[in-house]
């Protein structure tokens, strides 16, 4: 970085900004592509790239109901907002009524297990096409109460 500063004659703050952009930029762009509505909300603000990554990460993990709320909380307490969101560990993902009924999942189960339709479908695939609905129900029952777990793999 010293050599780069000498060669480019840029200010330290400009070099630091460029370094952060190179470091965090690709992941920020990936999350913006994945969540274009959240990216649009974020684009309205002037937030440093490392904080954009933090906000997009909590949004992607469904720890905030909206990017707008994440930004509002960030503005209220820039130093601690992201840590507070992680500590609260409130999940805002959803599972469709069809899947909840199929596998006897309550809204509370969805929140506690941090489930989404995508996660349920991934579990279905991991369990294999030969697994029955009752096997999946047992799998989720084991997740809800690990003390009753006999065989999570269903073998």
């Amino acid at each position: 970085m010293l050599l780069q500063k000498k060669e480019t004659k840029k200010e330290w703050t400009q070099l630091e900004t460029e370094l952060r952009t190179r470091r965090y930029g690709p992941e920020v762009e990936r999350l913006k592509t994945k969540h274009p509505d959240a990216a649009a909300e974020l684009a309205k603000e002037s937030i440093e790239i490392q904080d954009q990554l933090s906000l997009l990460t909590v949004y992607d993990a469904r720890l905030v109901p909206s990017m707008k709320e994440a930004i509002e909380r960030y503005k209220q307490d820039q130093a601690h907002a992201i840590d507070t969101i992680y500590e609260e560990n409130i999940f805002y993902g959803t599972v469709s009524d069809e899947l909840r009924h199929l596998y006897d999942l309550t809204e509370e189960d969805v929140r506690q297990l941090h489930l989404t339709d995508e996660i349920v479908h991934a579990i279905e695939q991991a369990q294999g096409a030969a697994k029955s609905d009752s096997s999946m129900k047992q799998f989720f029952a084991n997740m809800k109460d690990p003390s009753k777990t006999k065989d999570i793999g269903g073998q």
Side-chain angles (χ1 to χ4, degrees):
M1 197 157 169
L2 286 172
L3 184 59
Q4 187 178 8
K5 179 170 179 14
K6 183 179 178 182
E7 290 173 356
T8 62
K9 299 189 186 323
K10 293 180 180 177
E11 294 296 318
W12 281 113
T13 54
Q14 188 177 2
L15 286 172
E16 288 172 355
T17 300
E18 289 175 7
L19 180 63
R20 282 190 205 105
T21 300
R22 278 195 305 260
R23 173 183 256 167
Y24 304 118
E27 185 63 10
V28 167
E29 289 308 313
R30 184 188 73 77
L31 289 169
K32 283 181 175 181
T33 300
K34 184 177 179 181
H35 304 289
D37 293 340
E41 281 292 321
L42 201 53
K44 297 175 188 175
E45 307 295 331
S46 177
I47 298 174
E48 291 188 24
I49 194 156
Q50 68 272 16
D51 293 333
Q52 288 181 33
L53 179 58
S54 294
L55 291 167
L56 285 162
T57 300
V58 296
Y59 180 80
D60 185 57
R62 293 182 170 95
L63 296 176
V64 290
S66 68
M67 180 55 77
K68 186 175 182 175
E69 181 177 312
I71 292 168
E72 287 172 9
R73 290 182 66 177
Y74 171 80
K75 286 179 177 180
Q76 291 171 3
D77 185 7
Q78 289 183 11
H80 302 103
I82 302 302
D83 290 338
T84 303
I85 290 168
Y86 277 115
E87 287 168 7
E88 290 170 352
N89 198 27
I90 299 171
F91 184 67
Y92 292 93
T94 59
V95 173
S96 66
D97 289 340
E98 177 185 346
L99 288 174
R100 279 192 310 105
H101 294 301
L102 181 62
Y103 298 127
D104 295 330
L105 297 168
T106 66
E107 286 294 329
E108 185 63 22
D109 296 335
V110 170
R111 276 191 298 282
Q112 286 181 345
L113 300 174
H114 289 223
L115 295 173
T116 63
D117 280 357
E118 295 86 9
I119 292 171
V120 171
H121 290 304
I123 293 169
E124 287 172 333
Q125 287 179 340
Q127 290 286 321
K131 297 293 180 180
S132 65
D133 291 347
S134 62
S135 173
M136 285 292 291
K137 286 179 185 178
Q138 183 60 48
F139 176 82
F140 287 116
N142 291 344
M143 286 180 68
K144 291 186 257 185
D145 188 359
S147 66
K148 295 181 181 178
T149 300
K150 293 178 186 163
D151 181 15
I152 286 182
Q155 298 173 352

